[in-house]
Amino acid sequence: MAEFVTERRQRAAGLPPEGDEPPEGAEAAAILEGARASVDPELRAAVDSLPGAMRRIARYHFGWERADGTPAAGDAGKAIRPALVLTAAEALGGPAARAAAVRAAAAVELVHNFTLLHDDVMDRDTSRRHRPTAWTVFGDADAILAGDALQALALRLLAEDPHPASGPAAARLAQCVLELCAGQHADTAMEDRAPGEVTLDEVLVMAEAKTGALLGSACALGALYAGAAAEEVAALDGFGRQAGLAFQLIDDVIGIWGDPLRTGKPAGADLAARKKSLPVVAALTSGNPAAGELAELYAKPGARSDADEIARTALAVERAGGRDWAQAEAADRMARAVQELARAVPDPEAAGGLLALAEFVTRRSR
């Protein structure tokens, strides 16, 4: 296992592994494709059970329909979270556990999309997955209600599942939603605070609640459906949380320096919104001379959508070390994730799929 872990850490740090390897991301891509194929029928059936108005908004959000209700072949997302559920179940319980966990995987995907619908309203994001966000098409109230419906639908899926793990899984997912709400509240509250008032520890705690909690819950649900012991469930939750923090770190980097053609969002959208993202707070608290310039730019009330102003702000974050810190921290979190996974799944072959997924989410900017 040590050799296997070393190779995975090399990958997380951006170092090439030794020997012949399949193309980068090929293993994760196959897992994600398989998860989407397994979960989509359950997901579509669940969404189709919604009341008419909610069904239309949800189907648009998932990319299955256009705004006018005609069929579409849009991007429904990468299915990372349901893939974690299914891969964790298989790692601990084999193919039978994976098959049994499909409904739980769909429930996790519904919760994830509930958060996206709400986040887009709160953040006023106008684009997601290369198309207008639901609130810009249907209005704030309808987008919020559709998100509420998806959350209720997720818990109904688990409540109706006859599998013996469905009760503990529903309780765990409900607790995760509470943590997600607390994280989102903290994130929103930070926007009203002065740049120098937010600490890096605060933002890391917030990021774990907003992102790490659901990835951890996804892995834990897979373990529950495999009949795993409490220690294994906790270790897989820790794996998902650490991988989730790495995911958020890279996502924050993409939010500043990502290519809009790949992200589906305007360049520098997080900077225009003056979000206290992890690279920004790391830069603000670095003590670097550029941190003062960044604080001044973040305190300016106007010109938030001005391209030159956004470019200056991105450069200040980079000069103050925010980008380098975020990338190094992502690699460190990935290493911690590997350690947590080794506690639950010491067999390298069984652990390979989960590690491939964790690598995938931390290498998205490359």
Side-chain angles (χ1 to χ4, degrees), residues 179-273:
E179 193 172 351
L180 289 169
C181 291
Q184 180 63 30
H185 176 268
D187 189 21
T188 304
M190 285 177 189
E191 293 179 18
D192 296 327
R193 293 164 60 184
E197 293 178 357
V198 178
T199 69
L200 194 51
D201 283 345
E202 281 183 284
V203 186
L204 283 166
V205 170
M206 177 272 292
E208 181 176 344
K210 275 194 65 174
T211 306
L214 188 54
L215 269 69
S217 185
C219 295
L221 260 62
L224 286 171
Y225 271 73
E231 295 80 6
E232 294 169 326
V233 175
L236 277 185
D237 183 83
F239 162 75
R241 284 175 180 271
Q242 293 299 330
L245 273 172
F247 177 101
Q248 188 60 56
L249 284 153
I250 295 301
D251 200 59
D252 284 354
V253 168
I254 293 171
I256 298 173
W257 295 282
D259 179 357
L261 294 176
R262 296 182 62 186
T263 66
K265 292 186 177 184
D270 287 356
L271 297 180

Side-chain angles (χ1 to χ4, degrees), residues 113-132:
N113 281 276
F114 135 69
T115 69
L116 298 183
L117 281 161
H118 283 201
D119 283 359
D120 286 342
V121 173
M122 287 184 276
D123 296 342
R124 311 314 287 170
D125 284 336
T126 59
S127 176
R128 180 176 292 282
R129 298 168 182 161
H130 306 281
R131 67 205 309 244

